[in-house]
Amino acid sequence: MKISFPKARGPVAALTLAIAQLAHAHAFPKHEVPAAGATVSSSQNSVAIDFDDGLESEFSAITVTDARGNSVTSGKAVVDPSNAKLMWVALKALTPGVYTVTWVAVAADGHRTEGEYTFTVKE
């Protein structure tokens, strides 16, 4: 016995295609340094995030704050001119504690994603 399903047509096919395109239109992190949940030394001097899509540098950002909510970034986040998928920010000297990385990524097509994670500086 062979079972066959009708092919999607009309609005269903259009909706399926639209959803598939939207799913690929946002930039999401592939790799972070330091990684989410990592424990690092106080010599950590930057945060870098590699995304799966190119970024608009004017609208994308990384901020890093200490446990009190004070910024520890040294300057503005930069999208690497030779690799539009890589964004990084320099850090001030870090002391032991937990730090929160907050990122905003605006893909080249204008779609925005954001997120955050923490890492710990060991004593």
Side-chain angles (χ1 to χ4, degrees), residues 96-122:
V98 176
Y99 292 84
T100 301
V101 176
T102 305
W103 57 267
V104 174
V106 177
D109 64 5
H111 288 99
R112 175 186 167 111
T113 53
E114 57 187 66
E116 69 178 33
Y117 69 91
T118 61
F119 68 91
T120 302
V121 173
K122 66 183 174 183

Side-chain angles (χ1 to χ4, degrees), residues 83-100:
N83 177 3
K85 296 180 179 183
L86 178 64
M87 180 169 48
W88 64 274
V89 67
L91 300 176
K92 299 175 185 174
L94 301 179
T95 59
V98 176
Y99 292 84
T100 301

Side-chain angles (χ1 to χ4, degrees), residues 3 12 26-27 38 41 51 62-63 65-66 68 83 98 101 119 123:
I3 300 174
V12 173
H26 297 79
S41 71
F51 290 87
I62 299 173
T63 58
T65 55
D66 63 18
R68 295 183 192 161
N83 177 3
V98 176
V101 176
F119 68 91
E123 296 192 37

